[in-house]
Amino acid sequence: MEGIQNPIHRTVEEVFSDFKGRRAGLLKALTTDGQKFFLQCDPEKENLCLYGLPNETWEVNLPVDEVPPELPEPALGINFARDGMPEKDWITLVAVHSDSWLISVAFYFGARFGFGKNERKRLFQMINELPTIFELITGNAKQSKDQSANHNSSRSKSSGVKPRQSESHTKASKMSPPPREDDESGEDEEDDEQGAVCGACGDNYDDFWICCDACEKWFHGKCVKITPAKAEHIKHYKCPTCSTNKKMRA
């Protein structure tokens, strides 16, 4: 990846911004730009790597010549496996390696600039609130994980209510960001529940959300073009996908 200058990141926020930019680029390669990415990974070429860049773009290129490299390198030779397995499995494999690379780059910056225990923890928590590329590719981004799943299971199974919604299910709750469950021990940071991710963009950072009454998925208001003022007058909200499906059935 010669000629590409990597910026210097000295704060947790700057490293996280770099992480999100590279992640967005990799997602484009494996989803919207999937055909272009597939064609560039010719097995007849040398060992190739998939790079996510901070400006939300991507490239397939040879690894750098310098040893050790300035940054950790992505998985080498992804092109060799392209025609040796089903395309979906290959994309999933690349997604897993891409997730690992993103983490390694973020913590490389953390080590290089002397992040302490609290800074590393905060960086990981910020990263961990985003669904992984693998989860988005395979459609598992909304499943609870590990401690979060165990923490919510007794409540959801016994009451039949989703963990992020109360029994009252008022309009106000549908318009508020999906809440995070606090750790029963009172240590919020140790159980940093991810909450919901937007059904449109897959992210979970925003001030205003709305929940679809049909599919029960949460959406950023801006992603479905619903403002707080407009939501006040909506009794039963249906997301664009559910609305389209209803029209098709009609």
Side-chain angles (χ1 to χ4, degrees), residues 77-199:
I78 57 172
N79 52 313
F80 295 149
R82 191 195 72 177
D83 296 339
M85 62 177 69
E87 182 177 346
K88 182 179 179 180
D89 293 342
W90 175 68
I91 291 292
T92 300
L93 180 64
V94 175
V96 171
H97 283 290
S98 296
D99 282 321
S100 299
W101 178 67
L102 286 173
I103 291 287
S104 68
V105 171
F107 277 81
Y108 166 83
F109 283 128
R112 181 176 177 183
F113 296 111
F115 285 5
K117 177 181 178 181
N118 291 335
E119 291 172 310
R120 293 194 303 271
K121 180 179 179 180
R122 185 155 59 93
L123 175 60
F124 177 76
Q125 288 175 335
M126 293 169 73
I127 291 173
N128 201 39
E129 286 194 357
L130 295 175
T132 65
I133 295 175
F134 171 79
E135 289 173 321
L136 293 173
I137 293 297
T138 58
N140 295 325
K142 295 174 180 59
Q143 293 183 0
S144 297
K145 299 181 183 62
D146 303 331
Q147 188 174 357
S148 299
N150 294 331
H151 183 67
N152 291 324
S153 60
S154 60
R155 301 180 186 181
S156 59
K157 290 180 181 179
S158 62
S159 63
V161 180
K162 295 189 302 176
R164 59 176 179 264
Q165 286 183 273
S166 65
E167 293 181 2
S168 59
H169 193 67
T170 61
K171 183 186 296 185
S173 68
K174 293 178 69 58
M175 292 164 50
S176 303
R180 297 178 184 172
E181 296 288 344
D182 292 338
D183 188 270
E184 294 178 354
S185 66
E187 297 179 2
D188 296 349
E189 291 184 356
E190 293 298 327
D191 185 345
D192 193 35
E193 169 69 12
Q194 287 190 20
V197 292
C198 176

Side-chain angles (χ1 to χ4, degrees), residues 194-208:
Q194 287 190 20
V197 292
C198 176
C201 70
D203 208 340
N204 63 353
Y205 285 97
D206 202 10
D207 294 327
F208 170 67

Side-chain angles (χ1 to χ4, degrees), residues 4-48:
I4 295 178
Q5 298 297 320
N6 293 294
I8 296 177
H9 309 289
R10 299 186 182 276
T11 69
V12 171
E13 288 72 23
E14 288 175 331
V15 172
F16 182 58
S17 178
D18 178 272
F19 175 92
K20 289 201 299 182
R22 296 178 189 274
R23 173 179 174 273
L26 292 170
L27 277 172
K28 288 179 183 177
L30 300 178
T31 55
T32 56
D33 296 345
Q35 187 60 30
K36 180 180 178 182
F37 168 64
F38 183 88
L39 294 175
Q40 289 190 20
C41 292
D42 186 349
E44 298 299 322
K45 296 182 180 179
E46 299 181 55
N47 290 292
L48 295 175

